[in-house]
Amino acid sequence: MNDPVLDLIQKQGLPYQISGRDYLIKCLNPEHPDSNPSLRIDKVTGSFHCFACHFKGNLFKYYGVFTNQAPIRIAKLKEKMALIKSSTTGLELPKGATPYTKVFRGLSVKTLKHFEAFYTNIEEKLQDRICFPVKDITNKTVVYVARHTLSNGNPRYVNYPSGVVMPLYPAAAPRDAKSVVLVEGIIDMMNLYDKGLTNAICCFGTNTLHKDTKQKLLPFKAQGVSHIFIMFDGDEAGKKAADTLKPLIEEEGFIVEIINLPDGSDPGELGSSDIQSIAEYVKK
Ligand SMILES: [Zn+2]
């Protein structure tokens, strides 16, 4: 197996031990006479840290070795994702859940089926609502989002159970997608999907991605997504939120572009031809 960190340790003739996720060697700090090995080196990234003298660095830099860090970073991300995966538990389907088989707000039955829309007359909190399971990268349901079927229904959305930290949904991009289009609401995302823009994701409101940004964007990064287009609602709140979010996403290493919609419109109401041109635009 390709193991650049171990290769370098061996090339430098450093005696080492394996210790969990690290290699353990004698400290590289010339001012630290280290009789017991106390320098831990991350097996994947080559980052090191001495637990006795706190000498820190990266093995590749230390030896002036220029490496292509991309495969190392991706391996690291995959490792982190495996940790996230193993810590999630799925929710059970609410009582009385029955597949939703009508068109809803211009969303085809096929699209609703794809997102596993359902309704229930038994679970009180979900009555008169179209419900969607929101899943994590392992396909486990983390929360149900239920929208009132009447446009003036109040509240418009219910999260079930309440109080869940809202993820990005879908939690990963379609295979081989280089970009994603980030929208506010689940219906926005589904409307784009319905009309052929299949790499849309939603963040459930304008201010949820400010929290756990790194962790939420991790799967997209590991998949090789490089561009994120923010397409929030065409109102003051949406514009302001997009401007605030842009640098936070850029910080995670993505190229970010804001798509401004005309005043008063939102991605959930766009028609086929508009969505087709946006899909063309983000592809190039
Ligand atoms: Zn040391």
Side-chain angles (χ1 to χ4, degrees), residues 26-29 31-34 38-39 49-55:
K26 281 189 181 175
C27 190
L28 295 169
N29 178 0
E31 285 160 28
H32 175 200
D34 191 15
S38 38
L39 189 89
H49 180 218
C50 172
F51 281 85
C53 75
H54 302 296
F55 186 60

Side-chain angles (χ1 to χ4, degrees), residues 80-92:
K80 271 197 199 164
M81 276 165 64
L83 283 178
I84 298 169
K85 280 181 189 180
S86 62
S87 67
T88 45
T89 52
L91 293 175
E92 278 180 31

Side-chain angles (χ1 to χ4, degrees), residues 15 21 30 51 58 119 146 153 156 183 195 198 216 238 251 267 278:
R21 300 155 65 88
F51 281 85
N58 182 285
Y119 68 94
R156 187 181 282 185
V183 295
K195 276 111 196 151
T198 53
K216 287 175 184 174
E251 217 167 276
I278 295 167

Side-chain angles (χ1 to χ4, degrees), residues 131-249:
C131 310
F132 302 98
V134 172
K135 301 181 173 197
D136 67 10
I137 37 174
T138 69
N139 216 29
K140 280 181 199 151
T141 303
V142 291
V143 63
Y144 293 98
V145 169
R147 182 189 157 114
H148 210 289
T149 46
L150 302 174
S151 43
N152 59 351
N154 193 29
R156 187 181 282 185
Y157 285 99
V158 163
N159 296 338
Y160 179 85
S162 59
V164 173
V165 175
M166 296 309 281
L168 290 172
Y169 187 63
R175 217 176 220 284
D176 301 328
K178 293 285 167 245
S179 67
V180 291
V181 178
L182 177 70
V183 295
E184 291 179 31
I186 193 166
I187 298 291
D188 298 333
M189 179 274 286
M190 286 181 197
N191 186 44
L192 298 179
Y193 180 93
D194 191 66
K195 276 111 196 151
L197 197 160
T198 53
N199 56 334
I201 57 173
C202 69
C203 54
F204 302 102
T206 52
N207 54 14
T208 58
L209 192 53
H210 295 73
K211 221 177 145 187
D212 303 327
T213 315
K214 189 184 271 303
Q215 191 180 324
K216 287 175 184 174
L217 292 174
L218 206 58
F220 298 94
K221 191 152 210 198
Q223 281 186 291
V225 169
S226 56
H227 284 63
I228 296 185
F229 296 87
I230 306 177
M231 189 165 71
F232 283 173
D233 294 356
D235 53 26
E236 267 322 299
K239 278 178 194 153
K240 212 173 149 192
D243 288 338
T244 322
L245 205 49
K246 188 172 183 261
L248 293 181
I249 300 177

Side-chain angles (χ1 to χ4, degrees), residues 78-127:
K78 286 195 171 146
E79 220 175 77
K80 271 197 199 164
M81 276 165 64
L83 283 178
I84 298 169
K85 280 181 189 180
S86 62
S87 67
T88 45
T89 52
L91 293 175
E92 278 180 31
L93 212 54
K95 278 189 219 118
T98 311
Y100 195 97
T101 51
K102 289 179 287 183
V103 170
F104 178 74
R105 293 182 68 88
L107 300 176
S108 67
V109 173
K110 196 177 163 207
T111 292
L112 294 176
K113 193 175 168 195
H114 175 82
F115 290 103
E116 299 171 46
F118 66 89
Y119 68 94
T120 168
N121 292 323
I122 296 178
E123 180 52 61
E124 212 180 311
K125 287 184 186 123
L126 300 178
Q127 273 181 19

